[in-house]
Amino acid sequence: MRPAFKILLLSICTLCFSCENNKENIDPLQEAIKGIPAQLKQKIDSTEYEIQIVYTQIERDAKGNPHL
């Protein structure tokens, strides 16, 4: 897999997971997958590439400081 593609995928996942969401019982992975652009989804669905998704939950304390 090309490094630029890895960086793009990581950036998209980071954006999707870093947004605060007030909805309850939402699967963050499913929500991230819904937001993937069609052109990138074609690459993901291709057997030519292997995709690894790294999930990091960001929690905030009472002052709003992030904790990974």
Side-chain angles (χ1 to χ4, degrees), residues 4-35:
F5 181 71
K6 289 180 182 179
I7 292 170
L8 176 62
L9 183 61
L10 179 61
S11 298
I12 290 171
C13 290
T14 301
L15 284 173
C16 291
F17 290 128
S18 65
C19 297
E20 188 173 331
N21 198 335
N22 293 329
K23 298 177 186 176
E24 293 182 22
N25 299 324
I26 293 178
D27 181 0
L29 182 57
Q30 290 298 323
E31 289 297 309
I33 290 171
K34 286 180 189 176

Side-chain angles (χ1 to χ4, degrees), residues 47-64:
T47 58
E48 182 181 348
Y49 298 95
E50 292 182 19
I51 305 298
Q52 179 180 7
I53 298 174
V54 178
Y55 172 78
T56 302
Q57 184 168 340
I58 300 173
E59 296 181 6
R60 297 188 181 270
D61 61 19
K63 294 182 180 180

